[in-house]
Amino acid sequence: MKIKKYLPPVLIVLSVLTVVTFVATTVLAKKSDNTICDGIYINSVDVGGMTKEQAEEAVSAYLKELENRSLTVNIDEEKVEASLEELGFTAGGSEVLEEALNFGKTGNFIKRYKEIKDLEKQKMELAVPVSLDEEKVEAFVSKKCTGFDVKAKNAGLKRKDGEFIITDHKTGRKVVADETVGKIMASVGEGWDYGDIELDAVVMNEEPEFTKEAVALCKDVLGTFSTTYATSSASRANNLANGAKHLNGSIIWPGEIFSVGEALSPITAENGYSMAGAYQNGQVVDSIGGGVCQVSTTLYNAALLAEIEIAERSNHSMIVGYVKPSMDAAIAGSYKDLKLKNNTDAPLYIEASTKGRTITFTIYGHETRDTKNRKIEYVSKVLQVISPGKEKVTKDPTKPTSYRVVTQSAHQGYKAELWKVVYENGVEVSREKVNTSSYAAEPAYVTVGSKDEDKDKDKDKDKDKDKDDKDKDKDKDKDKDDKDKDKDKNDKDKDKDNDKDKDDKDKDEKPSESDTPSVEEPSDEEEEEEVEE
């Protein structure tokens, strides 16, 4: 009876001991094992039963495959692709491998056993951390994705047959680079199924700066000005017409600075310009594009009347005749330019034309001034007139002293100011100085002859005397020859009458060649001197 009494508790203890022994055996056996528990996966790779080295090799091979996965970015209808390797794909690994190897082998007896038993019900997913190189992703977005940006287009403006024609604006599309980069970087993070990646770029619409409605404000004449060139050469007239052609139709958008020099350039024959007079180092010389300064000057005065901002302007080195002092604007290389800034709320349109040896510029825009009660004028004020001084003379030895030609007229110098005067209801309300200009004085340039005419006359007289002396010598020799010939004839006649037998002797007594006088010729040296003269 006593045995039966104690049998159930003993069986219970034995059962418990059996279970504990089994668990202990299982846990201890796994703890001493250097393999990873079954049911553990790393980045979708089943590493259960593998040693650390085997698992590391298997996972590395898989991660290498991931480098070849593609990433596609959709930009509306366009697609841009790159491999993850191109985007700097990298992965960790050692910490995850240690975690997989130690799972079910650390902690107390019960914890380890529970972890091992849980793997039998549900596999464990571990992930090696992977990432992309942010700099490479930024470069990918900047070079390839933003290449599909569509720029917003301002409304167009042109003038034909006295009317403005306005074309509609276009809305643009722009990839938001920083947000798109962030989206790509996150695509290989949590939730990635390790397959190819496809995502949409972050884009935004971009509105044009000037819509059709804004451009339509440009309809009013703000300022117009003309100058004439009636006495200009055909080449200079061509340069003015060519310059007007290059500037006609130019648009200056609000806030923009417009360079007249750049719009006219290059000043070359290939760009339509001809050789004509221009100022250089105080003299008038022929130069390609001579006359374009009258183009810029005419536009300058139109801009003054339009009251737009003059960002840059230079006067000529010497005074010009087509406008008053301080009302000119010179163009010269890169150091003299006329620049206009649009300080209005609408585009400015420049219209240029040449007709009947007159060049005209008209600037159109949005008129906001009081054109009924307010008027402006520009007044040129001469502060000083500078004398050109004594003329500069160049001697020409090939011209006689009576020769005198003025190659360049004298230019007076000036110091002048330009004033802007504003009237309201016919009463002056303000007077503002616009600019101060200085123009150099230049003397007349004269060429005179320096050849000695008296000396030339003396030389001519000497030549005539020599010629007369030579002619006289020739006459004397001729008279002597005639006398000798008469004497010989008389002697011959006498001999014939007295004695016909003496013919041979008379012939022997005839004068020899050495006794016959010769004519004197000039020497070679004298001939050379005459040639040199």
Side-chain angles (χ1 to χ4, degrees), residues 6-220:
Y6 292 105
L7 184 58
V10 171
L11 290 175
I12 292 172
V13 171
L14 288 175
S15 297
V16 170
L17 288 174
T18 301
V19 171
V20 169
T21 302
F22 174 78
V23 171
T25 302
T26 302
V27 171
L28 290 175
K30 201 62 188 173
K31 184 176 182 180
S32 61
D33 189 4
N34 63 350
T35 61
I36 298 172
C37 294
D38 292 334
I40 296 179
Y41 290 76
I42 299 178
N43 295 83
S44 301
V45 177
D46 184 0
V47 294
M50 294 184 181
T51 64
K52 179 181 179 181
E53 291 75 16
Q54 291 172 335
E56 184 175 12
E57 183 177 353
V59 172
S60 295
Y62 181 70
L63 293 175
K64 188 67 177 176
E65 291 180 12
L66 295 183
E67 292 182 353
N68 297 321
R69 298 287 192 268
S70 65
L71 182 139
T72 302
V73 179
N74 300 318
I75 308 169
D76 288 345
E77 302 300 321
E78 306 294 340
K79 293 181 180 292
V80 183
E81 292 186 2
S83 69
L84 296 187
E85 182 181 14
E86 291 174 323
L87 299 177
F89 179 84
T90 56
S94 58
E95 297 86 354
V96 174
L97 286 171
E98 289 294 332
E99 181 182 354
L101 185 64
N102 293 328
F103 191 83
K105 299 179 183 179
T106 59
N108 60 46
F109 201 76
I110 301 300
K111 173 181 177 293
R112 283 179 280 167
Y113 180 75
K114 184 177 184 303
E115 289 177 348
I116 294 171
K117 295 304 290 182
D118 287 344
L119 287 175
E120 295 177 0
K121 299 177 182 178
Q122 185 176 2
K123 66 181 182 180
M124 179 181 182
E125 290 278 356
L126 298 176
V128 172
V130 295
S131 63
L132 302 176
D133 187 313
E134 189 168 2
E135 289 187 1
K136 291 185 177 181
V137 173
E138 288 175 350
F140 167 72
V141 172
S142 175
K143 293 179 180 179
K144 293 189 176 182
C145 297
T146 60
F148 291 98
D149 286 353
V150 178
K151 288 187 177 181
K153 187 177 180 181
N154 290 328
L157 179 66
K158 64 180 180 178
R159 190 169 174 82
K160 185 177 181 181
D161 298 329
E163 299 289 337
F164 279 113
I165 300 173
I166 301 173
T167 56
D168 207 352
H169 63 271
K170 291 184 179 180
T171 300
R173 180 198 64 208
K174 183 178 181 180
V175 172
V176 183
D178 56 346
E179 293 186 26
T180 302
V181 168
K183 198 170 182 180
I184 293 174
M185 293 293 292
S187 67
V188 295
E190 187 176 351
W192 181 31
D193 62 1
Y194 306 110
D196 292 333
I197 301 170
E198 184 170 357
L199 54 85
D200 295 329
V202 180
V203 298
M204 62 179 292
N205 289 335
E206 187 176 42
E207 294 300 323
E209 189 173 1
F210 304 105
T211 63
K212 185 176 182 179
E213 293 72 24
V215 171
L217 293 174
C218 179
K219 62 182 187 303
D220 307 309

Side-chain angles (χ1 to χ4, degrees), residues 39 44 60 120 206 243 261 286 292 322 325 396 413 444 479 483 518 533:
S44 301
S60 295
E120 295 177 0
E206 187 176 42
D286 278 342
V292 294
Y322 40 86
D396 187 345
D479 291 342
K483 288 180 182 179
S518 62
E533 290 177 358

Side-chain angles (χ1 to χ4, degrees), residues 121 341 427 516:
K121 299 177 182 178
K341 183 176 181 179
V427 179
T516 305

Side-chain angles (χ1 to χ4, degrees), residues 292-467:
V292 294
C293 289
Q294 186 168 349
V295 176
S296 56
T297 292
T298 308
L299 177 55
Y300 172 58
N301 283 270
L304 289 174
L305 294 173
E307 294 186 87
I308 63 175
E309 183 178 340
I310 310 300
E312 182 179 331
R313 170 263 175 192
S314 298
N315 58 272
H316 286 78
S317 58
M318 296 190 295
I319 200 71
V320 296
Y322 40 86
V323 290
K324 294 178 181 179
S326 285
M327 298 182 76
D328 60 318
I331 298 290
S334 59
Y335 64 94
K336 283 188 178 182
D337 195 2
L338 173 63
K339 293 182 179 180
L340 310 177
K341 183 176 181 179
N342 185 348
N343 56 345
T344 74
D345 63 345
L348 297 174
Y349 183 90
I350 298 175
E351 184 178 63
S353 64
T354 54
K355 184 178 181 181
R357 290 300 182 102
T358 296
I359 181 169
T360 301
F361 277 92
T362 301
I363 298 177
Y364 293 88
H366 181 208
E367 184 61 86
T368 58
R369 299 170 294 179
D370 181 359
T371 59
K372 183 177 180 180
N373 301 308
R374 180 180 178 275
K375 304 293 181 185
I376 62 170
E377 70 169 338
Y378 290 89
V379 179
S380 171
K381 181 180 179 182
V382 175
L383 304 177
Q384 182 182 0
V385 178
I386 305 168
S387 173
K390 190 176 180 180
E391 64 185 19
K392 293 186 178 181
V393 179
T394 301
K395 293 183 178 181
D396 187 345
T398 67
K399 302 293 184 183
T401 53
S402 59
Y403 180 84
R404 176 183 170 84
V405 174
V406 178
T407 56
Q408 179 177 303
S409 300
H411 286 76
Q412 284 187 320
Y414 292 88
K415 287 187 177 179
E417 295 174 340
L418 185 65
W419 289 81
K420 175 184 177 181
V421 185
V422 179
Y423 301 90
E424 290 181 0
N425 298 314
V427 179
E428 181 179 326
V429 295
S430 67
R431 184 176 288 260
E432 175 188 1
K433 185 165 67 175
V434 178
N435 70 59
T436 300
S437 303
S438 296
Y439 305 90
E442 283 294 330
Y445 287 77
V446 180
T447 300
V448 299
S450 60
K451 186 176 181 181
D452 192 343
E453 294 177 287
D454 292 337
K455 183 178 178 181
D456 291 340
K457 289 179 181 179
D458 290 340
K459 289 184 177 180
D460 291 340
K461 288 180 180 179
D462 291 340
K463 290 180 182 179
D464 291 340
K465 183 179 179 182
D466 290 341
K467 183 178 180 183

Side-chain angles (χ1 to χ4, degrees), residues 233-251:
S233 65
S235 296
R236 189 175 186 277
N238 170 71
N239 290 338
L240 267 71
N242 191 53
K245 181 187 71 174
H246 284 302
L247 293 175
N248 185 47
S250 297
I251 298 174

